[in-house]
Amino acid sequence: MKPESLMMSYGYKPELSEGAVKCPIFQTSTFVFKSAEEGKAFFEVAYGLRSQKEGEELGLIYSRINNPDLEILENRLTLWDEAEDCAVFESGMAAITTVLLEFLKPGDLLLISNPLYGGSDHFIKKVLPQFGITIAQFKVGQSKEDIIDLVQKTGKADRLSLIYIETPANPTNDLIDIGASKEIAKYFSKPDKEVYLTVDNTYMGPIWQHPLKHGADLVLYSATKYIGGHSDVIAGACLGSKPLMKRVKTLRTFLGNMASPHTGWLLLRSLETLKVRMDAQAFNAQKVAEFLNQHPSVEKVYYLGNLTAENNPVQYKIRKKQCLTNGGMISFDVKGGEKEAFKVLNALKLIKLAVSLGSTESLAEHPYTMTHADVDPTLKKEFSITEKMIRLSIGVEYYEDIIQDIKQALDTIKE
Ligand SMILES: Cc1ncc(COP(=O)(O)O)c(C=O)c1O
């Protein structure tokens, strides 16, 4: 069965919860053991003191380690990405920082793509160096050979441990080739030390791009976005193979940044409509992009559907290879600068002026001064994140109403 058919039932047994058709919120910090022997056995498995026996499952211990809402949610999330295991977190940043801390040690080299979401950018460039991590950076459009050369020039190629990419990049929709990034990881891997590839797949959600299928070792989500999808929860997720996820989950246990039972329950509810919501958002985004493409006050539109073999053969090829749709995110430059962009943002009525993305309601924001305020201004200029850019997250409203709202807001530029 397809994941969308399983989102209402997979992994939940009503007979264990008084027949409730929906998984209740297991609002409990701890779980009663049937016997001391059982408690001992659960801890042996949880702390890796011995391997699991044939058919033995990790018993419920304590909600920082496991909880039914989180376990069912994690099992359901694995279906979309066809991952072996998943860990959910109390925010996307919690998922991202836990992975970075687990797979990097002092003295290591981290290779990243640019641009990145502002929060990830801050943690990687401003916090990780305090722990002795060196950062090597590549940009959209650089070839595999250029990137290998760049890593070698750091003089620390033998300490490369992790490659971290975000594709499509927030807010420009620039694409990084996941398969080529894996080849770089393999190039620097040694028999005793594998270089892992991590992909922030937030912009495409679990429906529109499956990085694990293209060679990624770990996929990360701000589940606040499409997965949650209603602007009412902050959460994160990481998916990958069982051995890597065991490492991620162990660090999560000790950092204590797992999602709460209530967050887990909210996400279970959201997952039931993930496919229909995202289908509607991709459809609406296409219509909005078509409108923006021909509007006289719009200078440039950053939308995956605008890529063609003629105007950008490299990006178009990556789009065809790894993205299943054109997504639900559009950025555009207005003719003018901050003044004109702010005029448009302030005039929007249906579309809310707020950061975040992937929700049922359409949102608009100004990356230069908001989500990416903290990013180095030179980098921002280089990646076309300028004062004239507006980022739109397209929701599930009737598309003509979204377009009408943008139209009346763009009209205010001339007033
Ligand atoms: C691409 C991307 N990654 C990660 C994050 C961080 O997620 P959270 O806000 O859930 O911590 C965001 C948030 O905007 C994002 O856009």
Side-chain angles (χ1 to χ4, degrees):
M1 271 192 262
K2 297 257 192 203
E4 58 264 39
S5 309
L6 295 169
M7 284 305 115
M8 283 59 77
S9 57
Y10 188 73
Y12 172 64
K13 296 191 183 107
E15 62 273 23
L16 296 182
S17 297
E18 310 276 358
V21 73
K22 288 291 159 191
C23 177
I25 308 177
F26 286 86
Q27 192 64 47
T28 183
S29 57
T30 195
F31 296 86
V32 177
F33 304 133
K34 289 197 190 93
S35 65
E37 287 77 10
E38 187 185 69
K40 178 183 171 188
F42 288 179
F43 268 92
E44 282 170 347
V45 174
Y47 284 4
L49 302 177
R50 64 168 171 82
S51 32
Q52 270 158 277
K53 292 180 196 147
E54 186 76 19
E56 185 182 14
E57 281 181 24
L58 175 59
L60 292 163
I61 298 176
Y62 183 67
S63 286
R64 178 157 49 74
I65 299 171
N66 52 12
N67 176 287
D69 293 292
L70 299 201
E71 288 192 343
I72 296 168
L73 168 64
E74 286 164 352
N75 291 338
R76 288 188 190 171
L77 276 171
T78 60
L79 299 178
W80 300 100
D81 279 291
E82 293 181 23
E84 286 178 15
D85 201 5
C86 169
V88 288
F89 292 82
E90 202 52 39
S91 70
M93 283 311 298
I96 291 166
T97 54
T98 301
V99 164
L100 292 169
L101 292 175
E102 175 55 32
F103 292 95
L104 292 166
K105 301 286 164 278
D108 278 354
L109 178 70
L110 167 69
L111 175 66
I112 59 161
S113 63
N114 266 310
L116 293 181
Y117 161 65
S120 317
D121 187 89
H122 179 98
F123 186 80
I124 288 171
K125 295 177 186 166
K126 303 209 169 115
V127 180
L128 284 182
Q130 297 175 38
F131 292 87
I133 311 294
T134 306
I135 317 296
Q137 310 180 35
F138 69 95
K139 294 170 204 153
V140 173
Q142 279 191 278
S143 70
K144 196 174 85 187
E145 292 69 30
D146 284 350
I147 300 168
I148 290 176
D149 190 44
L150 170 161
V151 171
Q152 269 155 350
K153 285 200 177 119
T154 63
K156 301 197 78 175
D158 61 324
R159 292 301 304 265
L160 180 67
S161 295
L162 195 66
I163 302 179
Y164 180 96
I165 63 172
E166 184 180 308
T167 182
N170 177 359
T172 53
N173 270 323
D174 284 316
L175 297 174
I176 306 285
D177 189 327
I178 301 170
S181 304
K182 180 63 179 181
E183 284 166 26
I184 298 168
K186 279 193 187 141
Y187 182 90
F188 289 105
S189 289
K190 287 178 260 152
D192 59 335
K193 187 174 186 270
E194 194 174 338
V195 177
Y196 297 116
L197 172 66
T198 302
V199 180
D200 182 337
N201 199 34
T202 298
Y203 242 51
M204 288 309 234
I207 307 272
W208 297 332
Q209 181 172 264
H210 299 124
L212 298 178
K213 288 193 188 146
H214 297 275
D217 297 291
L218 290 167
V219 55
L220 288 158
Y221 291 104
S222 165
T224 313
K225 311 299 191 285
Y226 289 104
I227 295 173
H230 293 73
S231 300
D232 56 8
V233 64
I234 298 279
C238 175
L239 297 104
S241 68
K242 279 210 160 104
L244 295 190
M245 289 311 300
K246 190 169 184 344
R247 289 177 60 179
V248 173
K249 281 186 164 172
T250 303
L251 186 58
R252 182 185 67 169
T253 293
F254 296 107
L255 291 176
N257 54 5
M258 70 296 152
S260 72
H262 185 237
T263 296
W265 181 85
L266 281 169
L267 292 180
L268 280 176
R269 187 177 170 136
S270 291
L271 279 187
E272 298 191 8
T273 54
L274 182 69
K275 176 76 167 53
V276 283
R277 279 188 280 117
M278 290 183 73
D279 281 351
Q281 286 167 289
F283 174 84
N284 283 353
Q286 176 74 40
K287 298 282 184 197
V288 172
E290 281 164 16
F291 165 76
L292 289 170
N293 284 341
Q294 51 71 48
H295 197 283
S297 299
V298 174
E299 193 175 284
K300 185 170 174 190
V301 181
Y302 305 76
Y303 171 62
L304 291 183
N306 282 359
L307 293 172
T308 65
E310 288 70 41
N311 68 16
N312 200 331
V314 178
Q315 289 277 296
Y316 178 73
K317 210 169 140 203
I318 306 176
R319 150 73 185 90
K320 283 274 159 218
K321 191 164 70 161
Q322 66 193 35
C323 308
L324 298 171
T325 72
N326 293 317
M329 296 297 296
I330 306 170
S331 291
F332 64 98
D333 292 337
V334 291
K335 286 187 183 153
E338 182 178 290
K339 187 168 144 261
E340 288 72 17
F342 278 17
K343 249 186 153 179
V344 175
L345 287 168
N346 289 335
L348 290 168
K349 293 187 174 108
L350 177 71
I351 301 174
K352 301 287 171 290
L353 172 52
V355 296
S356 202
L357 59 101
S359 280
T360 45
E361 72 282 313
S362 295
L363 299 174
E365 66 115 6
H366 191 245
Y368 192 84
T369 57
M370 296 172 191
T371 43
H372 294 66
D374 193 34
V375 177
D376 174 7
T378 336
L379 269 188
K380 282 200 277 197
K381 280 260 159 355
E382 204 177 327
F383 299 127
S384 312
I385 307 168
T386 64
E387 290 90 336
K388 59 188 168 183
M389 179 183 268
I390 290 175
R391 188 189 77 180
L392 293 174
S393 167
I394 305 299
V396 300
E397 303 92 340
Y398 181 49
Y399 69 89
E400 281 185 6
D401 291 334
I402 305 174
I403 291 171
Q404 196 47 41
D405 195 29
I406 301 170
K407 185 177 176 309
Q408 64 78 28
L410 281 167
D411 285 347
T412 62
I413 294 184
K414 296 218 180 68
E415 280 166 14

